[in-house]
Amino acid sequence: MSSLSPRIATLARTVRPVLAIVLCIALVMLVVLGLRIQSALVGLRSEATDNLHWNLSQLEVDIVRLSEEIRVAQNDPAAPLKELRKRHDLFYSRAQNAIQGKGFSTPGLEDLSTALSAMLAEYLAVETPAVDGSDAALRADLPRMAAHLDALRDTLRKTSIQIIERLAKISDDRRAALSLLVSQVALATFVTIGMLACLLTMVLMSSRAALREARHTAQVSRQLRATVDSALDAIVVTDDKGDILQFNGSAESTFGYTRAEVLGRRAAGLILPPEIAAEPGDLAPLRQVDAGRFQTRALDRAGRSFPVELSISSAEGDEGRIYTAFLHDISDRLAAEAEMTRARDEALAAERAKTDFLAVMSHEMRTPLNGVIASLEIAARKAANPEQAHFIALAQDSAQLLLRHADDVLDITRLESGGMKLLPQDFDLETHLANLVEGLGPVCTERGIGLRFDMLTPSARLNGDPFRLGQIVQNFLSNAIKFVETGGITVEAEVTPLEGAMREVEIRVIDTGPGIAAQDQERIFQDFAMLDPSFRRSGGGAGLGLAIARRIATAMGGEIGVESAPGEGSCFWLRLPLAMAKDSGTAAGQPSAAPSLPLLDILVVEDNATNRAVLDEMLRQSGQRVEMAVDGEKGAQAAQARRFDVILMDISMPVMDGLASTGLIRARGASQRARIVAVTAHSLPADLDRFRAAGMDDVLVKPISSEALARVLKGDSVTAALARPAVLDMTRIQDMQETLGAATFARLAQQGLVDMHRLARLAQQAASAAAPSDGLEPLCHEAAGGAAMIGAERLRAHYSQAEAEIRQGQAEAARDRILRDTESFLAEAETALRNLL
């Protein structure tokens, strides 16, 4: 039965309009037919046919009487004519009435009535003058009048008979038409009664369906009420005026009111605090229908204002629109978020402070080193004999090592962010290690420590980053020198074949120091980890060296470790896979030929006299035309007055810094289009972006080498390698492999690559939209996190930069970045990961 009810209701809804239309048509037909019947009856009531019969009969009687009077007058010449004239006048009057009466205008009698009227009119026109004349003339005319009257009588009788026949037919036709109208009215009445019966049936069916629906609605309402009462969220239902209609149990717990206390009361001012309303009684929070979840504040019985998450829906009720509010107290969640935000802000502030300190420290240390290293390069070119060249080379190596010490504090930041770029080149392992050991020889001699280098296998020319390798070995040696008091230090190296052209290099630094306990051997590779003996030494340290060494070794695909026991000394080792050199290259110790450079007009803007002298010497030795300026203001004036090809611009200067000077040069003057290169010790990515935004084309990071200077003069970029992060964060990958296991990490990395392809596709679609920032920022945030999880550092930096640009209002730049670089960065990350796995 329940399954038939919807069908019946559907059928009723379908048929009801048709029945209503048919009923309306039937009612219209009844009205029309009724009007027609009424019209027919009115016609019958006003019918003039009876008068026509009587007039014709009277005419014939009058003709007979007039004929009798004429015969009397003919038979008795002395008879008076008064009665004859009287009879003629009566006939005349009757004939005029007949001619002008309605009977002669009856439809269907026009031809007969016209002929009869013409005959009567003719008779009267002919005989009336004689009747109205003298008696003698009248007596003379009596024979003719009698004949004329007899003819008229015969014609009148025949015409009357024809008129009566036609009137009979007309009456029959009218009765038939009236009978048809009555039949049509009966049919329309029957149809109307049938439609009314059908409609009544449907009304009864609809009424029964409505009763069933009402019972179902009541059941659903009971279920809904039970659901609302048992819901965990507070649910408040109000009408359009804001009066509370429903208040569930969770709402009672949240606000402290019972349901009976709030029903019928205004929500504003009771559970909504006055401060969120534009005016008293304003229900703005309850008007935000279909706005999703949003946050506002609510008021409990004790007057406490607390944050809630609110969602509103609305519906039309019997008495107008009603609003259903779902509220959830989020005080605890917001407190936790606030605590997390505070902790994050403190961490970010500490990170920013550390970054600022590192940038200042780097700048202060690199600026004087720039003069030292550049001066040594010039001195090496002018060395008069091999002994001088030898000591200058040792000084250069020591200066480079000193620079590496200054870079240690920056290396941690670069390594953690994947910003360190390896610079592979061909080098001779034995020569490189021998130079490192020889550079530290004087220090060991001064401390009374023996230092020896042994190449245990034949040396080989390898391809790798000799500076980073030397940084690790230098760190091992520095630690050994600090802790060894008596005895000596031995550096051993050996090269063993691996697959194909690959070789494994193992370097060991063995000392006779106090040794390291087993429980401390892993801890010493952590950041800022220092063992107790180091605190008692004057040399000290920040505890970063071994942490940096491990990260560098991991980035190069190798590993480091220690073997030690208390009282037995230590052996720090490095194992590193390196490829064989592709060609013999320049012989060790043989200076390379100076590059061929174009002849340029160069302006050097530098406040430090030593740096000016060094740059002047380096540029003039390559044949350049050089002009100097001691601060940014004088540099801008010189550049505006004369056209230069290249401007080397220091950043930190008195009077006017390099950024302001660059802005003036780009604004006007002869050197607007010159190539402006920043000369600075600032090398963090944020600094590089700031320099480019000011209008600079490139950056030379102090200390400046001849090679980097030559590349700038030839127009090559020297910042791409500096600012470009590594494809993979090997430290991150190694940590995950150690924590999760290689197999688990491989599986997660495969799934991560699938997610990266999906997010790349979504990000590119969002970047192609009209308002990319609306959906692009969360996608970039998610993609950056996913890339970091699988160690795809360059891809992570790509998404992070796009996210930062969107937050800074540079949505167009972020869109271009996503559309331009995402595919290539994802492809190289996938290739590198698959090769690694």
Side-chain angles (χ1 to χ4, degrees):
M1 182 65 181
S2 59
S3 61
L4 291 177
S5 298
R7 297 180 183 178
I8 294 174
T10 302
L11 179 63
R13 284 193 298 268
T14 304
V15 176
R16 191 181 302 148
V18 178
L19 293 177
I21 293 173
V22 174
L23 179 60
C24 291
I25 294 173
L27 291 174
V28 171
M29 289 180 60
L30 280 175
V31 172
V32 172
L33 292 174
L35 293 175
R36 291 179 62 183
I37 290 176
Q38 182 181 9
S39 176
L41 292 175
V42 170
L44 289 175
R45 284 197 299 269
S46 61
E47 184 62 58
T49 54
D50 292 340
N51 285 335
L52 183 58
H53 289 167
W54 186 82
N55 284 334
L56 291 175
S57 300
Q58 290 301 316
L59 278 174
E60 189 172 0
V61 170
D62 288 341
I63 290 172
V64 172
R65 289 180 177 175
L66 181 58
S67 297
E68 289 297 324
E69 289 297 330
I70 291 173
R71 282 194 296 272
V72 170
Q74 286 178 341
N75 294 329
D76 184 7
L81 299 176
K82 181 178 180 181
E83 186 64 24
L84 188 147
R85 286 190 172 94
K86 178 180 176 183
R87 290 298 176 185
H88 177 80
D89 291 340
L90 289 174
F91 175 73
Y92 181 89
S93 176
R94 190 80 65 186
Q96 288 296 331
N97 289 335
I99 293 172
Q100 297 175 2
K102 292 183 178 180
F104 275 26
S105 62
T106 302
L109 301 179
E110 292 84 355
D111 56 335
L112 296 176
S113 61
T114 301
L116 181 59
S117 298
M119 184 178 295
L120 291 173
E122 179 191 3
Y123 175 83
L124 294 176
V126 171
E127 301 301 336
T128 300
V131 172
D132 292 337
S134 61
D135 290 345
L138 179 58
R139 289 184 184 278
D141 196 47
L142 286 177
R144 183 184 57 80
M145 184 182 297
H148 197 178
L149 191 60
D150 290 339
L152 178 60
R153 180 179 180 183
D154 291 337
T155 302
L156 179 61
R157 184 178 295 111
K158 294 178 181 179
T159 300
S160 297
I161 293 173
Q162 291 176 347
I163 288 174
I164 290 171
E165 291 175 352
R166 288 197 182 180
L167 286 175
K169 186 177 184 304
I170 290 171
S171 298
D172 291 339
D173 292 341
R174 289 180 175 176
R175 282 192 296 273
L178 183 59
S179 175
L180 179 61
L181 286 176
V182 172
S183 300
Q184 291 175 345
V185 169
L187 177 61
T189 303
F190 176 76
V191 171
T192 301
I193 293 173
M195 293 301 101
L196 290 174
C198 292
L199 286 176
L200 179 59
T201 301
M202 289 189 176
V203 167
L204 293 175
M205 293 170 59
S206 299
S207 177
R208 293 177 181 176
L211 290 175
R212 288 192 296 270
E213 189 68 23
R215 288 194 295 269
H216 177 69
T217 301
Q219 181 181 0
V220 171
S221 179
R222 288 192 297 271
Q223 294 173 351
L224 181 60
R225 186 178 298 108
T227 301
V228 169
D229 291 340
S230 61
L232 297 178
D233 284 345
I235 300 179
V236 180
V237 181
T238 68
D239 59 16
D240 196 46
K241 298 177 181 179
D243 295 336
I244 297 176
L245 304 177
Q246 184 60 270
F247 203 74
N248 73 337
S250 295
E252 292 179 339
S253 301
T254 300
F255 295 100
Y257 294 101
T258 65
R259 183 172 181 272
E261 289 176 320
V262 299
L263 289 184
R265 297 179 64 181
R266 188 66 54 89
L270 183 66
I271 62 174
L272 296 177
E275 62 266 18
I276 69 171
E279 58 184 30
D282 186 12
L283 299 174
L286 297 180
R287 307 296 190 192
Q288 301 186 41
V289 180
D290 300 329
R293 287 184 172 267
F294 63 95
Q295 292 185 12
T296 184
R297 302 196 66 82
L299 197 67
D300 64 10
R301 183 168 190 166
R304 178 181 67 94
S305 178
F306 59 95
V308 294
E309 192 172 57
L310 182 62
S311 177
I312 305 292
S313 63
S314 68
E316 288 295 336
D318 294 337
E319 299 180 359
R321 183 170 291 275
I322 61 173
Y323 298 89
T324 303
F326 300 84
L327 303 98
H328 181 68
D329 187 349
I330 56 174
S331 301
D332 294 339
R333 191 187 80 187
L334 291 183
E337 291 177 356
E339 179 62 25
M340 291 177 62
T341 302
R342 185 190 63 78
R344 183 204 64 186
D345 292 343
E346 290 179 354
L348 290 177
E351 183 67 21
R352 285 193 296 269
K354 184 188 79 170
T355 301
D356 294 341
F357 168 76
L358 294 177
V360 172
M361 183 177 181
S362 172
H363 181 271
E364 295 301 325
M365 295 182 69
R366 288 185 180 198
T367 298
L369 279 175
N370 177 55
V372 174
I373 294 175
S375 299
L376 288 173
E377 286 190 9
I378 296 171
R381 296 193 193 99
K382 296 183 178 183
N385 55 62
E387 185 177 3
Q388 288 181 346
H390 174 70
F391 283 108
I392 290 175
L394 291 179
Q396 286 179 309
D397 287 342
S398 298
Q400 289 292 342
L401 291 175
L402 181 59
L403 179 62
R404 293 297 180 181
H405 284 307
D407 285 341
D408 276 352
V409 288
L410 291 176
D411 282 340
I412 286 291
T413 303
R414 288 176 177 168
L415 286 163
E416 288 180 348
S417 64
M420 187 192 74
K421 177 69 174 179
L422 297 175
L423 301 174
Q425 63 184 73
D426 294 344
F427 69 99
D428 183 83
L429 179 63
E430 182 176 6
T431 301
H432 184 59
L433 292 178
N435 289 337
L436 287 174
V437 172
E438 185 178 1
L440 292 174
V443 178
C444 291
T445 300
E446 182 181 352
R447 297 181 59 85
I449 302 172
L451 178 61
R452 190 182 71 198
F453 168 61
D454 293 332
M455 188 71 195
L456 302 181
T457 61
S459 182
R461 283 189 58 76
L462 304 170
N463 182 268
D465 190 334
F467 295 103
R468 295 300 178 183
L469 183 147
Q471 187 175 356
I472 297 174
V473 176
Q474 171 67 26
N475 184 271
F476 288 171
L477 286 169
S478 298
N479 284 335
I481 291 171
K482 285 191 294 184
F483 289 102
V484 173
E485 296 182 356
T486 61
I489 303 171
T490 301
V491 178
E492 297 179 348
E494 57 181 318
V495 180
T496 57
L498 290 175
E499 183 179 354
M502 297 298 295
R503 297 291 185 270
E504 182 180 68
V505 175
E506 182 170 344
I507 302 171
R508 294 180 291 273
V509 177
I510 306 169
D511 64 62
T512 59
I516 304 171
Q519 64 270 21
D520 294 326
Q521 291 180 10
E522 182 62 29
R523 188 168 64 87
I524 61 174
F525 293 102
Q526 299 174 0
D527 294 342
F528 304 104
M530 295 178 289
L531 303 182
D532 289 342
S534 67
F535 286 103
R536 297 192 294 268
R537 299 193 57 84
S538 60
L544 290 175
L546 290 176
I548 294 173
R550 168 167 281 186
R551 287 177 169 86
I552 294 174
T554 302
M556 298 176 72
E559 58 180 342
I560 64 174
V562 63
E563 298 172 3
S564 182
E568 298 182 4
S570 303
C571 174
F572 285 85
W573 53 263
L574 163 68
R575 296 190 186 101
L576 194 65
L578 294 175
M580 294 292 292
K582 296 181 180 179
D583 52 57
S584 60
T586 303
Q590 180 72 23
S592 59
S596 176
L597 299 175
L599 184 60
L600 302 170
D601 289 314
I602 301 174
L603 173 63
V604 176
V605 186
E606 170 66 67
D607 65 312
N608 186 280
T610 302
N611 288 340
R612 285 201 305 273
V614 170
L615 283 171
D616 182 65
E617 182 65 25
M618 295 175 72
L619 291 170
R620 291 189 186 279
Q621 284 189 5
S622 63
Q624 308 302 321
R625 295 186 292 268
V626 183
E627 183 174 327
M628 295 290 173
V630 297
D631 58 51
E633 182 178 16
K634 291 182 174 57
Q637 293 172 356
Q640 290 172 348
R642 175 187 166 190
R643 181 187 177 279
F644 290 95
D645 299 307
V646 177
I647 300 174
L648 301 180
M649 179 73 70
D650 189 20
I651 297 299
S652 300
M653 292 183 292
V655 183
M656 179 181 292
D657 64 22
L659 300 180
S661 180
T662 299
L664 291 178
I665 295 172
R666 292 300 188 204
R668 62 183 181 278
S671 299
Q672 274 185 302
R673 300 185 181 278
R675 180 175 168 81
I676 303 178
V677 180
V679 181
T680 178
H682 298 287
S683 61
L684 295 179
D687 296 324
L688 303 182
D689 293 339
R690 185 162 54 96
F691 300 157
R692 293 191 185 95
M696 294 182 171
D697 300 291
D698 211 337
V699 178
L700 271 174
V701 180
K702 297 177 182 179
I704 301 170
S705 66
S706 298
E707 179 186 0
L709 182 60
R711 288 169 58 191
V712 165
L713 297 182
K714 288 192 297 184
D716 297 336
S717 174
V718 298
T719 58
L722 181 66
R724 188 177 179 87
V727 176
L728 298 181
D729 183 353
M730 296 306 301
T731 303
R732 169 70 176 170
I733 292 175
Q734 185 180 25
D735 289 343
M736 293 187 68
Q737 287 177 330
E738 292 176 356
T739 303
L740 303 175
T744 302
F745 173 74
R747 178 174 55 82
L748 293 177
Q750 295 288 352
Q751 181 60 44
L753 287 173
V754 174
D755 291 339
M756 286 297 99
H757 279 284
R758 175 181 62 83
L759 291 170
R761 184 170 60 255
L762 294 175
Q764 289 175 326
Q765 291 174 356
S768 302
S773 62
D774 292 347
L776 187 56
E777 181 181 349
L779 285 172
C780 289
H781 182 79
E782 181 182 356
M789 287 299 296
I790 62 175
E793 177 57 27
R794 186 172 297 171
L795 187 61
R796 180 207 65 77
H798 165 68
Y799 282 119
S800 295
Q801 183 65 27
E803 180 185 6
E805 288 172 341
I806 295 173
R807 290 179 177 176
Q808 295 167 5
Q810 302 173 8
E812 191 65 25
R815 188 185 79 163
D816 293 341
R817 182 183 300 277
I818 292 298
L819 294 177
R820 182 185 65 245
D821 297 331
T822 300
E823 290 292 341
S824 60
F825 286 170
L826 178 57
E828 67 180 5
E830 182 173 16
T831 301
L833 268 175
R834 294 193 186 281
N835 291 337
L836 177 66
L837 298 177

